[in-house]
């Protein structure tokens, strides 16, 4: 199972190093075997001697160049980073990334052999418009994406649930994950107000291969507990 922490615009470089070290020590002490990912803020990227996979929340599809405010491949290479988060709803809806730009990023980092956690999901008005309209909206987020890429992980995140404390029902999560599994057999994570008191229940659902956790991952003890839940569920299989 996969448990991923998106730290967003939080934690300094020092705090991030302490966070990664804490997760690493917890995993080693408890002999945890789950795939653990941590995505720090850009300014907190660094070289980490850890079995925890550290990835980038964002990068531009270029080695370097005149792209103010962005980082490129050179910056990721400096820290040995080969994992990236692409298509997160906050980049789509707050920062205005188009599907064309997202697909360009995807294919650039795919050609470089990166592990890609690719995010899809719908805002509330699309969900309320009915299943057909919602799926049409999500289908469009697969345009230009190689769903058979061997290093692809997909994360479904209902936009209306992120940071709101709201989550779909378990039945809703199973239904959408079942549909998305028809589009790709890649591991499929759930993201959207995942927290320590619902993570175990969500990860136990059919076609849920792990979770992408946002603000609830900032408390390292809670994130480590979610990794423990994943470990316990794996042993039941």
């Amino acid at each position: 199972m996969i448990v991923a922490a998106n730290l967003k615009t939080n934690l300094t470089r020092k705090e991030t190093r302490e966070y990664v070290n804490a997760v690493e020590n917890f995993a080693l002490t408890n002999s945890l075997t789950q795939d653990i990912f941590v995505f720090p803020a850009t300014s907190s990227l660094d070289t980490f001697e850890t079995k925890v996979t550290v990835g980038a929340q964002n990068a531009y599809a270029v080695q370097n160049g005149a792209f103010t405010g962005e980082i490129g491949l050179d910056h990721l290479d400096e820290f040995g980073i080969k994992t990236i988060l692409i298509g997160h709803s906050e980049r789509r809806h707050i920062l205005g990334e188009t599907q064309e730009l997202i697909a360009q990023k995807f294919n650039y980092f795919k050609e470089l052999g990166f592990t890609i956690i690719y995010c899809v999901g719908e805002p509330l008005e699309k969900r309320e418009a009915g299943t057909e309209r919602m799926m049409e909206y999500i289908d469009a987020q697969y345009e230009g994406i190689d769903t058979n890429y061997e290093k692809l992980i997909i994360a479904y995140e209902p936009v209306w649930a992120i940071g709101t404390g709201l989550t779909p029902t378990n039945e809703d999560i199973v239904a959408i994950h079942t549909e998305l599994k028809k589009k790709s057999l890649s591991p499929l994570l759930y993201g959207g107000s995942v927290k320590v008191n619902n993570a175990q229940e969500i990860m136990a659902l059919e076609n849920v291969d792990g979770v992408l956790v946002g603000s609830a991952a900032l408390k390292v003890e809670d994130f480590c507990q979610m990794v423990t839940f994943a470990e316990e569920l794996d042993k039941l299989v």
Side-chain angles (χ1 to χ4, degrees):
M1 195 160 284
I2 298 166
V3 188
N6 177 13
L7 302 181
K8 305 189 181 186
T9 313
N10 295 290
L11 305 188
T12 63
R13 179 172 291 183
K14 178 177 180 291
E15 289 169 337
T16 299
R17 180 167 292 281
E18 292 170 350
Y19 183 100
V20 172
N21 287 342
V23 175
E24 166 83 350
N25 290 336
F26 183 84
L28 289 175
T29 300
N30 293 279
S31 302
L32 302 182
T33 61
Q34 306 308 300
D35 293 325
I36 305 171
F37 292 78
V38 175
F39 293 89
T42 297
S43 64
S44 297
L45 294 177
D46 207 339
T47 302
F48 295 94
E49 298 297 330
T50 174
K51 292 183 180 179
V52 173
T53 300
V54 176
Q57 294 177 19
N58 176 57
Y60 205 65
V62 69
Q63 183 166 346
N64 54 50
F67 303 98
T68 302
E70 294 284 352
I71 62 171
L73 181 62
D74 282 351
H75 306 90
L76 302 183
D77 282 348
E78 179 181 8
F79 302 124
I81 290 172
K82 296 290 288 183
T83 303
I84 190 167
L85 196 64
I86 293 177
H88 192 280
S89 63
E90 289 163 359
R91 297 208 62 84
R92 293 179 188 269
H93 297 285
I94 298 176
L95 298 168
E97 289 193 359
T98 64
Q99 184 61 26
E100 182 181 9
L101 175 61
I102 289 167
Q104 180 185 1
K105 285 185 181 183
F106 181 95
N107 288 295
Y108 179 82
F109 288 104
K110 170 196 161 185
E111 291 302 315
L112 293 166
F114 272 59
T115 296
I116 299 172
I117 294 187
Y118 182 71
C119 302
V120 299
E122 83 286 350
L124 186 59
E125 63 269 20
K126 298 299 180 182
R127 172 169 283 269
E128 291 179 338
T131 301
E132 184 176 350
R133 292 287 300 277
M134 179 182 74
M135 289 309 302
E136 287 176 355
Y137 183 87
I138 294 175
D139 286 347
Q141 296 174 344
Y142 282 82
E143 291 178 4
I145 305 302
D146 180 3
T147 56
N148 294 314
Y149 177 47
E150 62 182 7
K151 294 185 178 180
L152 170 63
I153 299 166
I154 296 172
Y156 167 67
E157 42 167 25
V159 180
W160 51 274
I162 297 172
T164 65
L166 302 173
T167 56
T169 65
N170 289 346
E171 291 75 14
D172 286 338
I173 294 173
V174 169
I176 186 66
H177 274 237
T178 299
E179 286 301 308
L180 294 181
K181 276 290 188 179
K182 297 175 184 177
K183 301 176 69 62
S184 174
L185 295 177
S186 298
L188 179 58
L189 313 183
Y190 174 79
S193 287
V194 177
K195 39 193 179 291
V196 72
N197 63 358
N198 66 11
Q200 186 173 29
E201 184 178 8
I202 289 171
M203 285 189 283
L205 297 174
E206 184 179 4
N207 288 325
V208 175
D209 301 312
V211 287
L212 174 61
V213 189
S215 59
L218 292 176
K219 187 175 180 181
V220 70
E221 295 85 359
D222 285 354
F223 182 66
C224 288
Q225 183 61 58
M226 295 183 213
V227 180
T228 300
F229 290 152
E231 188 80 16
E232 292 171 350
L233 287 167
D234 262 2
K235 291 178 180 177
L236 295 177
V237 176

